[in-house]
Amino acid sequence: MAAHFGRLRKGATTTAVAAVAVAALSASQAPGVTTDDLGRQAAGAAQPSGDAKTGGAGGGATGDSPYYTDLPPLKSPNPSPSASPTTGTTVSVGEAEAGIPATVLDAYKKAEAELRASKPGCNLPWQLLAAIGKVESGQARGGRVDASGTTYSPILGPKLDGNGFALIADTDHGAYDGDPAYDRAVGPMQFIPSTWAWAGRDGNGDGKKDPNNVYDAALAAGHYLCRFDRDLSVQSQMNAAILNYNNSTEYLNTVLSWLEYYRKGTHEVPDGTGTLPSHSSNSDPGASPSPTTPATPSTPSRPRTPSTPKPGGAGSTSPTPKPPTPSSPAPSPTPPTPTQTVDHLEDANTGKLTATAGSAFGTKVVVRAESKASKGVAKVRVRFTIIGDTDATFTGGESVATVVTGSAGTATAPALVAGEKTGDFTVRATVVGRVLGGLDYTATVTPRQADTLTRTSDTALTCVPGGEFADQVELKATYKGAVAGKVAATATLIKSADDATENDKGPYFKDADGKTIRTLTDLTTDADGVLKLPKLYANDATGTFLLRVNTAGGAVLTVELKVAAAAS
């Protein structure tokens, strides 16, 4: 069925204006099907629905199930920068509607990163996933997900039984939606089972494809939108992708409204605290809203009470007081999530973080999530972030890694790998979904080292006055017997073995302008540990002169240079 806008609440006139504005902007990309000269569908056309590879029996990924019609505030998020308490990165802070639950936001950004690598031509923005997630499920019901990203209870759309909705008979034997008669849209991104069967993805690496997991659902939605070699940086192709997800112009306009809103700035909020939408595209008051957690069973209708004879007269009756309508039992308080019980992070015996440039650190950062009673808390997501002027990364080349705590409450960051930049940087550990103080660790990258220098040739280095040395000085550096590549070195023509100051007489090098220089800096051994110095020249001074080469790590070699007149 084609989904449609529900009735706007009182006072929502201003939000309606936003929808009108977006509709005007996108009018040129209306979903009518057109073709180009080769008979292909034009980029602005809606893709056909109705088969497994284009969207499912009801049309689109969702079977055109109802969706939330709430529009973003007219006031854009405040673009003033602020540091995120959980990531340390700069974000924009604005109204509550701009806040996205931490784990849900992480899932969207991870899906974007995966698509950037696997389908770079698609140009999928994570804000599009956020816009669809808002419209389909209110960001997984405000971020009610566990540490692995799975919703605490299934998010289900209404039965697609043809009663006000599309008619989609059961395709999964109730495996995903729990309904053996009809299909329902499932999970944070509201996939119908027949679409999930081929479009599902494993976004969190647990070996399962679960539509109720926000990492799996976000990645599946990203791949779904990127089909047909679409380039989502082209507006008409983005429109086609959204319409293929749920074939409704009103749906398109609502998603585009949220996309534009999120692009102007968002901020991370703790899991479970996101703002919930309240208005559905389903305008039939007797039908189920879209989407919701499983409904509480309805109270059975009260049986008719038989008439009671009126006192003093046969067969006469008097009004019988109606018994009170039984009320549903009060819901049990929702127990706190593991993340909500975390009080602080503690170091778990992390050692000294030091490595030579280009090598792996021998120590990993280990933290422990603890409650107020200092007990370890399992199943909590801990984010490790590399901060500072460094090219060091975690194994795999990432600067951010998220790890779930184990049964003892500990989380171990992936191994650090040093880059070429030397000096200190910071590794910060924070709890995802909580505004808590983090732990900072200082890591140090030291220069590559050599402990031995040797000449690669034993040929004497001689020259006549005013001439040039026939052989160039070539050395090889090693460290603990292994080749020492990319090691910094300095070469200086010194006065004597006991005086390492620069000599102002005797042999010399030339710079790029042909000027005399006697000290060379910024030298580096090659990948094989070899260092070949520039050509040496002699002036009129004769005698034995010394060239000294030093490397990082303490390797030193002194080479003799002899300048003498040629034999007669």
Side-chain angles (χ1 to χ4, degrees):
M1 73 158 192
H4 50 278
F5 273 112
R7 293 164 295 182
L8 292 175
R9 63 193 183 282
K10 292 182 179 180
T13 306
T14 54
T15 56
V17 174
V20 173
V22 174
L25 288 172
S26 59
S28 60
Q29 290 91 29
V33 178
T34 58
T35 57
D36 61 16
D37 293 338
L38 299 178
R40 298 173 299 195
Q41 284 193 326
Q47 297 292 346
S49 61
D51 65 80
K53 296 302 179 185
T54 56
T62 71
D64 293 344
S65 292
Y67 57 91
Y68 288 118
T69 59
D70 299 55
L71 294 170
L74 291 178
K75 181 180 179 182
S76 297
N78 185 352
S80 61
S82 174
S84 165
T86 57
T87 64
T89 56
T90 299
V91 296
S92 292
V93 177
E95 298 186 7
E97 286 289 357
I100 300 178
T103 299
V104 179
L105 180 60
D106 187 52
Y108 295 149
K109 292 186 176 181
K110 274 185 166 52
E112 180 199 56
E114 196 278 343
L115 268 300
R116 193 186 305 125
S118 63
K119 296 183 178 180
C122 178
N123 296 304
L124 171 76
W126 67 260
Q127 291 91 341
L128 176 58
L129 296 176
I132 291 176
K134 180 70 174 182
V135 169
E136 293 293 351
S137 69
Q139 310 298 18
R141 305 298 292 162
R144 291 290 300 165
V145 296
D146 63 18
S148 67
T150 302
T151 57
Y152 286 116
S153 56
I155 300 176
L156 301 175
K159 290 183 179 182
L160 299 177
D161 57 4
N163 184 19
F165 308 108
L167 174 60
I168 306 179
D170 175 64
T171 61
D172 65 329
H173 304 291
Y176 294 123
D177 56 15
D179 191 329
Y182 300 98
D183 274 350
R184 297 181 176 207
V186 183
M189 305 303 276
Q190 289 289 278
F191 278 94
I192 55 174
S194 58
T195 302
W196 184 261
W198 61 267
R201 294 291 193 279
D202 177 14
N204 62 351
D206 64 357
K208 297 183 294 184
K209 299 176 182 178
D210 182 1
N212 285 300
N213 181 279
V214 70
Y215 287 96
D216 296 359
L219 184 58
H223 279 279
Y224 188 96
L225 294 165
C226 287
R227 293 173 308 141
F228 310 120
D229 295 323
R230 291 189 181 108
D231 179 358
L232 300 186
S233 66
V234 178
Q235 187 62 52
S236 58
Q237 295 190 36
M238 176 183 285
N239 291 358
I242 297 170
L243 286 167
N244 197 200
Y245 205 90
N246 191 319
N247 192 19
S248 161
T249 302
E250 290 84 357
Y251 179 87
L252 168 68
N253 293 337
T254 306
V255 169
L256 291 176
S257 296
W258 283 106
L259 170 62
E260 185 64 21
Y261 182 73
Y262 285 142
R263 275 177 164 166
K264 292 178 180 177
T266 61
H267 59 277
E268 180 182 291
V269 298
D271 291 341
T273 66
T275 302
L276 295 176
S278 57
H279 293 77
S280 170
S281 64
N282 174 25
S283 60
D284 179 2
S288 302
S290 159
T292 183
T293 52
T296 302
S298 58
T299 303
S301 59
R302 179 175 55 84
R304 176 177 292 181
T305 305
S307 300
T308 304
K310 183 177 180 181
S316 61
T317 61
S318 63
T320 303
K322 294 182 179 179
T325 302
S327 59
S328 299
S332 301
T334 303
T337 66
T339 300
Q340 290 170 335
T341 66
V342 177
D343 179 71
H344 59 275
L345 286 176
E346 283 287 337
D347 175 57
N349 297 320
T350 301
K352 188 175 182 180
L353 299 171
T354 304
T356 302
S359 65
F361 284 72
T363 301
K364 296 180 180 180
V365 177
V366 185
V367 300
R368 175 178 157 98
E370 295 186 351
S371 64
K372 285 186 178 180
S374 297
K375 292 184 178 181
V377 183
K379 297 183 179 180
V380 173
R381 297 178 67 81
V382 176
R383 180 179 293 142
F384 297 95
T385 306
I386 295 174
I387 301 171
D389 183 17
T390 181
D391 54 357
T393 64
F394 293 114
T395 302
E398 300 293 332
S399 60
V400 178
T402 304
V403 180
V404 178
T405 58
S407 58
T410 58
T412 302
L416 286 164
V417 179
E420 295 303 319
K421 289 185 178 180
T422 59
D424 294 343
F425 63 92
T426 299
V427 179
R428 178 169 296 163
T430 55
V431 176
V432 176
R434 287 296 305 277
V435 181
L436 295 173
L439 293 179
D440 283 354
Y441 295 85
T442 299
T444 303
V445 179
T446 60
R448 299 170 186 263
Q449 300 180 358
D451 55 16
T452 305
L453 277 173
T454 57
R455 283 191 62 196
T456 59
S457 170
D458 56 3
T459 303
L461 297 167
T462 60
C463 183
V464 298
E468 61 182 50
F469 287 81
D471 296 313
Q472 291 176 244
V473 178
E474 185 176 271
L475 313 171
K476 185 165 186 177
T478 57
Y479 183 70
K480 296 182 178 180
V483 168
K486 299 182 180 180
V487 175
T490 301
T492 306
L493 290 152
I494 60 176
K495 290 184 176 180
S496 69
D498 298 325
D499 186 354
T501 57
E502 182 180 288
N503 199 345
D504 57 357
K505 300 180 178 62
Y508 59 91
F509 298 104
K510 290 182 180 180
D511 65 11
D513 297 325
K515 296 180 180 179
T516 297
I517 55 172
R518 290 188 168 88
T519 298
L520 299 176
T521 57
D522 298 326
L523 301 172
T524 307
T525 63
D526 64 16
D528 296 323
V530 174
L531 176 62
K532 190 171 186 177
L533 300 183
K535 185 173 290 188
L536 277 163
Y537 302 87
N539 56 18
D540 293 337
T542 58
T544 299
F545 302 90
L546 300 179
L547 170 66
R548 179 163 291 172
V549 181
N550 301 269
T551 69
V556 180
L557 180 66
T558 303
V559 180
E560 285 190 350
L561 306 173
K562 293 185 178 180
V563 180
S568 58

